[in-house]
Amino acid sequence: MQTRMIMGIVLAVCAVIFIAQNMSRIDLNILFFTFSSPALIFYIILLGIGFALGILVKSKNKH
C-alpha cells in the first residue's frame, strides 16, 4: 500500500509539471470538429479519463 501511494504521488507531480510546461493554445481535431483551447484543458480531460479507466479496470479485477 505504501509503495502504491508513493508511486501515485510521484506520477501526480510529474503530470502537474508536464501540464505547467505546456500551457500554449492547441487545436484538437476530432472527426469533422476542431476545438481550440489551452492545452491545460485537454490534459486535465485526458488525466480524468485515464483515472476513470484505472478505477474501472481495478474494480473489474476485484469481482
Side-chain angles (χ1 to χ4, degrees):
M1 185 66 177
Q2 184 74 10
T3 305
R4 184 176 276 195
M5 184 190 303
I6 291 171
M7 289 300 295
I9 291 170
V10 168
L11 288 174
V13 168
C14 288
V16 169
I17 291 170
F18 178 78
I19 289 171
Q21 290 181 341
N22 294 291
M23 296 294 288
S24 62
R25 288 189 77 75
I26 60 171
D27 292 332
L28 178 67
N29 298 316
I30 300 176
L31 297 176
F32 305 108
F33 304 101
T34 301
F35 302 98
S36 179
S37 150
L40 171 69
I41 302 298
F42 293 124
Y43 293 141
I44 289 173
I45 291 170
L46 288 175
L47 284 171
I49 291 170
F51 184 74
L53 287 174
I55 289 174
L56 288 173
V57 169
K58 183 178 177 183
S59 67
K60 272 201 162 199
N61 289 338
K62 283 187 172 182
H63 293 105

